[in-house]
């Protein structure tokens, strides 16, 4: 069923692209008074249509785009010297007719994207929030600069009160270039300079920090304490042993500190707040090291918001 749907989607998209492409040729030809013998949606045998003036507007059997047939266009066509034949027109007019097809495809792409973004544009909710650090990778530029979980970036390169979107745009374009930060910690502010490194995989600036977002459970390992304690995929973590969980590092840190003693985990399931007491087990692994575990995969919970963009923003 999915294969059939994909084939239909490809036919539809390809058909629209080619039809708009040919419409560009058709409009330019009509503007320069070239006689258009046929404007067809689809290829193959003619199913139905209507003739208006010199042009046969037709629908054909195979809906894979379409074509425009202009008088005297093909090399094998007989040229009578009619001034309305394609080859009778000046070269600059023929060039414009030829280029209008690709130009219409560009117009279609821009118009569709702008139109969609002006109707509905989804973005991550955290990107519009204050830049509060939820996680800092060890040995990263952010960690070496002394930044910690909970720090708030109140200015970046002179921009005051930036959102995460502002911070992200600044960082990705600043690989190997120092950026000036004003950071707030425990009610006090201080200035630092930080130089993002170049991420070799993405080709953008990398600082090693992450946004402060809710942490939820992904996969639950069968037979491990989390499953036995009733935790489910999608549960959103609130706290462990009374300490708020706002990064993926907090729970593993507390588990290692527990030394195998029970930990109290608070979490949200839908709108209901629940509590589970779990006893970590020592799990030996050659891949990711031996540690106290409860058998869960932690993933950030990124909520999305739908907005409308104005015309300049959509571009």
């Amino acid at each position: 069923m999915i294969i059939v749907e994909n084939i239909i989607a490809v036919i539809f998209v390809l058909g629209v692209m080619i039809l708009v492409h040919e419409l560009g040729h058709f409009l330019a030809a009509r503007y320069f008074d070239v006689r258009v013998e046929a404007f067809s949606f689809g290829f193959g045998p003619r199913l139905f249509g209507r003739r208006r003036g010199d042009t046969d507007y037709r629908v054909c059997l195979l809906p894979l785009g379409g074509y425009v047939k202009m008088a005297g266009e093909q090399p094998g066509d007989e040229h009578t010297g009619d001034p309305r034949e394609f080859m009778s027109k000046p070269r600059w007019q023929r060039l414009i007719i030829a280029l209008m097809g690709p130009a219409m495809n560009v117009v279609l792409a821009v118009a569709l994207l702008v139109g969609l973004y002006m109707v509905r544009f989804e973005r991550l909710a955290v990107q519009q929030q204050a830049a509060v650090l939820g996680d800092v990778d060890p040995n990263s530029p952010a960690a070496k600069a002394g930044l910690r979980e909970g720090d708030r970036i109140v200015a970046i390169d002179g921009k005051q009160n930036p959102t995460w979107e502002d911070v992200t745009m600044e960082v990705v374009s600043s690989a190997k270039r120092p950026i000036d930060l004003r950071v707030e910690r425990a009610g006090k502010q201080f200035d630092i300079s930080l130089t993002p490194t170049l991420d070799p995989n993405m080709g953008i600036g990398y600082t090693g920090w992450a946004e402060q977002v809710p942490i939820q459970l992904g996969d639950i390992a069968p037979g491990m304490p989390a499953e036995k304690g009733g935790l489910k995929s999608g549960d959103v973590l609130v706290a462990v042993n009374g300490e708020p969980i706002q990064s993926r590092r907090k729970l593993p840190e507390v588990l290692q500190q527990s030394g195998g003693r029970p930990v109290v985990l608070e979490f949200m399931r839908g709108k209901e707040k629940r509590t589970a007491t779990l006893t970590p087990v020592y799990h030996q692994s050659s891949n990711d090291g031996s540690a106290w575990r409860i058998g869960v995969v932690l993933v950030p919970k990124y909520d999305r918001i739908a907005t409308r963009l104005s015309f300049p923003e959509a571009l």
Side-chain angles (χ1 to χ4, degrees):
M1 185 64 182
I2 295 178
I3 296 177
V4 174
E5 291 178 356
N6 289 339
I7 292 175
I8 293 175
V10 169
I11 292 175
F12 176 78
V13 172
L14 186 64
V16 171
M17 288 176 57
I18 296 177
L19 188 65
V20 171
H21 180 97
E22 295 301 324
L23 180 62
H25 296 314
F26 173 77
L27 294 176
R30 291 291 299 270
Y31 182 81
F32 291 119
D33 195 30
V34 174
R35 189 170 75 254
V36 178
E37 297 177 350
F39 182 88
S40 174
F41 175 74
F43 298 92
R46 183 181 190 274
L47 297 179
F48 59 89
R50 181 179 180 183
R51 175 172 291 277
R52 294 187 60 181
D54 297 320
T55 307
D56 178 25
Y57 299 89
R58 64 180 68 164
V59 174
C60 295
L61 181 62
L62 302 176
L64 297 175
Y67 64 90
V68 171
K69 186 176 186 305
M70 292 175 278
E73 175 188 11
Q74 301 299 324
D77 291 346
E78 180 182 354
H79 299 292
T80 63
D82 186 342
R84 299 186 64 204
E85 288 183 350
F86 178 76
M87 294 303 296
S88 298
K89 298 298 179 180
R91 290 181 179 177
W92 67 271
Q93 292 185 5
R94 284 181 276 158
L95 178 63
I96 291 177
I97 293 172
L99 293 178
M100 273 299 291
M104 284 293 286
N105 285 135
V106 173
V107 171
L108 174 66
V110 173
L112 283 177
L113 287 176
V114 171
L116 288 173
Y117 287 156
M118 290 177 67
V119 173
R120 181 182 176 87
F121 175 69
E122 284 195 351
R123 63 177 72 185
L124 298 179
V126 70
Q127 291 296 88
Q128 306 304 306
Q129 298 172 2
V132 180
L133 305 188
D135 201 0
V136 178
D137 290 337
N139 300 319
S140 65
K144 293 176 181 178
L147 293 175
R148 306 174 188 170
E149 176 187 340
D151 288 349
R152 174 174 171 253
I153 301 173
V154 296
I156 180 168
D157 275 353
K159 183 175 181 60
Q160 301 297 316
N161 299 315
T163 63
W164 269 116
E165 187 172 40
D166 299 325
V167 171
T168 301
M169 295 303 294
E170 187 69 30
V171 168
V172 298
S173 60
S174 300
K176 300 182 180 181
R177 179 181 70 81
I179 54 178
D180 297 322
L181 302 175
R182 177 169 285 272
V183 179
E184 181 178 273
R185 179 186 297 164
K188 297 181 179 180
Q189 296 187 3
F190 56 93
D191 296 320
I192 65 170
S193 180
L194 180 151
T195 302
T197 57
L198 178 66
D199 186 324
N201 296 321
M202 302 291 292
I204 59 177
Y206 165 78
T207 57
W209 61 42
E211 308 93 336
Q212 190 177 81
V213 294
I215 304 300
Q216 66 181 0
L217 302 184
D219 293 334
I220 307 292
M224 293 290 283
E227 185 190 49
K228 294 177 180 179
L231 272 67
K232 296 182 179 181
S233 178
D235 289 344
V236 178
L237 302 182
V238 176
V240 55
N241 287 350
E243 298 184 39
I245 298 178
Q246 297 174 325
S247 76
R248 285 183 291 181
R249 297 187 187 277
K250 175 58 69 174
L251 180 59
E253 288 175 357
V254 173
L255 292 178
Q256 304 324 302
Q257 295 169 4
S258 74
R261 293 183 297 273
V263 296
V264 178
L265 198 63
E266 298 175 47
F267 60 95
M268 298 293 297
R269 180 171 296 166
K271 296 182 179 180
E272 181 185 358
K273 188 174 183 180
R274 299 189 179 189
T275 302
T277 300
L278 308 175
T279 302
V281 295
Y282 194 72
H283 183 76
Q284 295 183 337
S285 172
S286 58
N287 296 325
D288 51 4
S290 302
W292 293 100
R293 304 180 189 277
I294 59 173
V296 296
V297 175
L298 305 179
V299 294
K301 183 178 184 296
Y302 288 111
D303 294 323
R304 295 179 178 272
I305 55 175
T307 60
R308 293 184 179 185
L309 301 184
S310 65
F311 178 71
E313 289 177 314
L315 285 176

